[in-house]
Amino acid sequence: MDDEAESDRDFFDRLAGLYGQQLPFNRVLGIHVTGVDAEGGTMAFAMRQDLIGNVFHRTLHGGVISAVLDAVGGLTASASLVARAAGLPDEKIKAMLARVGTIDLRVDYLRPGRGERFSASGRIMRSGRKVAVVRMEMHAENDLLIAVGTGTYMIG
Amino acid sequence: MDDEAESDRDFFDRLAGLYGQQLPFNRVLGIHVTGVDAEGGTMAFAMRQDLIGNVFHRTLHGGVISAVLDAVGGLTASASLVARAAGLPDEKIKAMLARVGTIDLRVDYLRPGRGERFSASGRIMRSGRKVAVVRMEMHAENDLLIAVGTGTYMIG
Amino acid sequence: MDDEAESDRDFFDRLAGLYGQQLPFNRVLGIHVTGVDAEGGTMAFAMRQDLIGNVFHRTLHGGVISAVLDAVGGLTASASLVARAAGLPDEKIKAMLARVGTIDLRVDYLRPGRGERFSASGRIMRSGRKVAVVRMEMHAENDLLIAVGTGTYMIG
Amino acid sequence: MDDEAESDRDFFDRLAGLYGQQLPFNRVLGIHVTGVDAEGGTMAFAMRQDLIGNVFHRTLHGGVISAVLDAVGGLTASASLVARAAGLPDEKIKAMLARVGTIDLRVDYLRPGRGERFSASGRIMRSGRKVAVVRMEMHAENDLLIAVGTGTYMIG
């Protein structure tokens, strides 16, 4: 692995830590980052009693779905900054990541959130100097698509 | 209070309980229903370490904001069913409420979620036989508007 | 071609006519339906002076893009009704199509609408008894993606 | 009228011309700008055969509604730049307005677009250095609300 690839890997590892264990609400959701590169990120989480939103059908709360999609969208928008982060001192990278924020989010709920494990992924659709647009998906087991979303993120 | 008004009040009380304490994820968010009638509902919740999304600025997670807006939208969509619920036996009302679900949600993040207490409200924009559209707002203290949203809900 | 396939083809041909030449505003936009089956539809249109929205850069008006995406979304939602239309008398099919309407639409503008010819496509994401959700895309020449969208349609 | 007020008025007059008669597709829609100041803008247009989208019910095309809402949102986002434009030479103002563009748009269709005259308005919800968020509404006669929308605009 050359120096550039190593510095990129460090950046992605930092993002995986930040979006997985360091963000308090992501811990509440039980999110683990399962992958991240310049094109986007993936996350996984397990069903728990706490995450239920429909007590009649015992399915995921719509707010859990929107929160995880927003998180994987933010991870993806942050990951698209990898080239800009290269060679920057740690303080500058922190400041850059602190500025990342959601401008708006749309979620389409396609099927009830039923199952034991869920995964979510994001893919960059537009990445400008200031604004990134990301499309997100959430799947239950057996690759069943339960929700899609689109988020616009401030990145500069 | 005449019988009709009393039956409506019972329905709204049931919704306040359902959306406040009975939905597990709403308990995680610390939501209290502070008002509900045929036009919409209001909720409040307090800042907690668990709800932080930006560790640099100690502000609410975007997913907390989207989850609370989805919850107050669902409460508002359910409340619009009050006339339909009148006179129905308990089992039918339960079945009716179990069918309420979010079809899609848009959230616009206007300002960082900073403060000690937050409130959210929903207002019915369209209420058909099958689908309701609700506009939602979230305020921090001093009536500072931090987010707005729009949700489309299945109600029949 | 057996009877069922022929009846389906008749239904799709009717949709191609309706969404292409019979809708007055689609004629203004210059839309041609280039394909339609149970999974979705495709359309094409050419740049014209009338469709310009940014006089500085001579690019498509954002409203042209949203209008075409809404049209291809409506075509796709209508096409998903093919099984329900099978065997129905003409009057019932007309009544069914008259009820199709957009509930809400989101459009993400990814790149300026520059070029001579544009194509748009829709794909069904959710198709229930009452509501369909469609994802749409618009490309300029060379398969350059200029906009994506999502629409929720009343279909019953 | 002092110099500053006069310069602001010139800027708003320029926007009224640009969004009314100078944008080719806005002419197709028949849009007139009926008011504009730093808080937002208003537009009006008349029903015409060309603008029909549902031939069964003779109502406005959903794409006309989305296009007009996008236009009044763009007018509102541009108008929010008035303070930044003050004192700038003409060339700089042109360049500033050429950069204004829609990032994303959501439209909620509340009632069929039936009637002879329609009006649309926009109101600034968030105005940062780079991005503005605008809420829009469209009314038919008698103040009947037929659609609402939200747009995110690049402004810097």
Side-chain angles (χ1 to χ4, degrees):
Chain A
M1 190 155 73
D2 61 18
D3 282 3
E4 190 181 310
E6 197 177 319
S7 139
D8 288 3
R9 192 28 56 200
D10 282 352
F11 180 72
F12 294 137
D13 286 347
R14 176 201 285 255
L15 291 182
L18 179 61
Y19 279 88
Q21 292 84 50
Q22 290 161 40
L23 286 194
F25 193 62
N26 286 8
R27 275 204 307 267
V28 170
L29 296 167
I31 290 173
H32 295 271
V33 174
T34 49
V36 52
D37 63 25
E39 297 305 302
T42 54
M43 292 175 162
F45 66 103
M47 186 50 135
R48 297 199 327 265
Q49 168 70 17
D50 264 4
L51 304 183
I52 287 178
N54 188 314
V55 287
F56 308 103
H57 298 314
R58 297 190 55 81
T59 50
L60 282 182
H61 193 287
V64 171
I65 294 173
S66 65
V68 174
L69 289 181
D70 180 40
V72 81
L75 170 65
T76 298
S78 298
S80 76
L81 295 171
V82 62
R84 243 184 265 179
L88 284 190
D90 199 63
E91 281 313 299
K92 295 267 185 186
I93 292 181
K94 261 191 196 162
M96 194 171 77
L97 292 177
R99 276 196 304 271
V100 173
T102 317
I103 300 172
D104 65 61
L105 177 72
R106 166 162 175 149
V107 178
D108 295 278
Y109 297 90
L110 304 176
R111 291 187 186 82
R114 198 173 285 131
E116 291 308 311
R117 295 197 59 77
F118 302 93
S119 60
S121 59
R123 194 160 57 91
I124 277 282
M125 300 301 287
R126 163 188 175 153
S127 183
R129 273 183 317 123
K130 292 289 169 182
V131 170
V133 176
V134 182
R135 277 205 154 177
M136 295 86 77
E137 298 189 346
M138 188 178 293
H139 290 86
E141 284 118 318
N142 302 322
D143 256 353
L144 190 69
L145 184 64
I146 58 172
V148 294
T150 315
T152 299
Y153 295 84
M154 185 69 71
I155 55 170
Chain B
M1 187 155 74
D2 62 17
D3 282 3
E4 191 181 309
E6 196 176 319
S7 139
D8 288 2
R9 193 28 55 201
D10 284 351
F11 181 72
F12 294 136
D13 286 348
R14 175 200 286 256
L15 291 182
L18 178 60
Y19 279 87
Q21 292 85 50
Q22 289 161 42
L23 285 194
F25 193 62
N26 287 8
R27 274 204 308 268
V28 170
L29 296 167
I31 289 173
H32 295 270
V33 174
T34 50
V36 53
D37 63 25
E39 297 306 304
T42 53
M43 293 176 163
F45 67 102
M47 186 49 137
R48 297 198 327 266
Q49 168 70 17
D50 264 4
L51 305 183
I52 287 178
N54 187 316
V55 287
F56 308 102
H57 299 313
R58 297 189 55 82
T59 50
L60 282 182
H61 193 288
V64 171
I65 294 173
S66 65
V68 174
L69 290 181
D70 180 41
V72 82
L75 170 65
T76 297
S78 298
S80 77
L81 295 170
V82 62
R84 243 184 265 180
L88 283 190
D90 199 64
E91 281 311 300
K92 295 266 185 187
I93 292 181
K94 260 191 196 163
M96 194 171 76
L97 293 177
R99 275 195 305 271
V100 173
T102 318
I103 299 172
D104 64 63
L105 177 71
R106 166 161 174 148
V107 178
D108 295 278
Y109 297 90
L110 305 177
R111 288 186 189 82
R114 198 173 285 131
E116 291 307 310
R117 294 196 60 77
F118 303 93
S119 61
S121 60
R123 195 160 57 89
I124 278 282
M125 300 301 287
R126 163 188 177 152
S127 183
R129 274 183 316 121
K130 292 289 168 182
V131 169
V133 176
V134 182
R135 276 204 156 180
M136 295 85 77
E137 297 188 346
M138 187 178 292
H139 290 87
E141 284 119 316
N142 302 323
D143 257 353
L144 190 70
L145 184 65
I146 58 172
V148 295
T150 315
T152 299
Y153 295 85
M154 185 68 70
I155 55 171
Chain C
M1 190 156 71
D2 62 18
D3 284 3
E4 190 182 307
E6 196 176 319
S7 140
D8 287 2
R9 193 28 58 199
D10 283 352
F11 180 72
F12 293 136
D13 286 347
R14 175 200 284 255
L15 291 183
L18 178 61
Y19 279 87
Q21 292 84 49
Q22 289 161 40
L23 286 194
F25 193 63
N26 286 8
R27 275 204 307 269
V28 170
L29 296 167
I31 289 174
H32 295 270
V33 174
T34 49
V36 51
D37 63 25
E39 298 305 304
T42 54
M43 294 177 160
F45 67 103
M47 187 46 138
R48 296 198 328 266
Q49 169 69 19
D50 265 3
L51 304 183
I52 286 177
N54 187 316
V55 287
F56 308 102
H57 299 313
R58 298 189 55 81
T59 51
L60 283 181
H61 193 288
V64 171
I65 293 172
S66 66
V68 174
L69 289 182
D70 180 41
V72 81
L75 170 65
T76 298
S78 299
S80 77
L81 296 170
V82 62
R84 246 183 262 180
L88 284 189
D90 199 63
E91 280 313 299
K92 295 267 186 188
I93 292 181
K94 260 191 195 162
M96 195 171 77
L97 293 178
R99 275 195 304 272
V100 173
T102 318
I103 299 172
D104 65 62
L105 178 71
R106 165 163 176 148
V107 179
D108 295 278
Y109 297 89
L110 304 177
R111 290 187 186 82
R114 199 172 285 133
E116 290 309 309
R117 295 197 59 77
F118 303 92
S119 60
S121 60
R123 195 160 57 89
I124 278 282
M125 300 300 287
R126 164 187 175 153
S127 184
R129 274 182 318 122
K130 292 288 168 183
V131 169
V133 175
V134 182
R135 277 203 153 179
M136 295 86 77
E137 297 189 346
M138 186 177 293
H139 290 87
E141 285 118 318
N142 302 324
D143 256 355
L144 190 68
L145 184 64
I146 58 173
V148 294
T150 314
T152 299
Y153 295 85
M154 185 68 71
I155 55 170
Chain D
M1 189 154 73
D2 61 19
D3 283 2
E4 188 181 310
E6 197 177 319
S7 139
D8 287 2
R9 194 27 57 201
D10 283 352
F11 180 72
F12 294 136
D13 286 348
R14 175 201 285 255
L15 291 183
L18 178 62
Y19 279 87
Q21 292 84 48
Q22 289 160 40
L23 286 194
F25 192 63
N26 286 7
R27 276 204 307 270
V28 170
L29 297 166
I31 289 174
H32 295 270
V33 174
T34 50
V36 52
D37 63 24
E39 297 305 305
T42 54
M43 293 177 160
F45 67 102
M47 187 48 137
R48 298 198 327 267
Q49 170 69 19
D50 265 4
L51 304 184
I52 285 177
N54 187 315
V55 288
F56 308 103
H57 299 313
R58 297 190 56 78
T59 50
L60 283 181
H61 193 288
V64 171
I65 294 173
S66 66
V68 174
L69 289 181
D70 180 42
V72 82
L75 170 65
T76 297
S78 298
S80 77
L81 295 171
V82 63
R84 245 184 264 180
L88 284 191
D90 200 62
E91 281 311 300
K92 295 267 187 186
I93 292 181
K94 260 190 196 163
M96 194 171 76
L97 293 177
R99 275 195 304 270
V100 173
T102 318
I103 299 172
D104 65 62
L105 178 71
R106 167 162 174 149
V107 179
D108 295 279
Y109 297 89
L110 304 177
R111 291 185 186 81
R114 198 172 284 131
E116 290 308 310
R117 295 197 59 76
F118 302 93
S119 62
S121 60
R123 195 159 57 88
I124 277 281
M125 300 301 287
R126 164 188 175 150
S127 185
R129 275 183 315 123
K130 292 289 169 182
V131 169
V133 176
V134 182
R135 277 205 153 176
M136 295 86 77
E137 298 189 346
M138 186 178 291
H139 290 86
E141 283 118 319
N142 302 324
D143 257 353
L144 190 69
L145 185 64
I146 58 173
V148 294
T150 314
T152 299
Y153 295 85
M154 185 68 70
I155 55 171

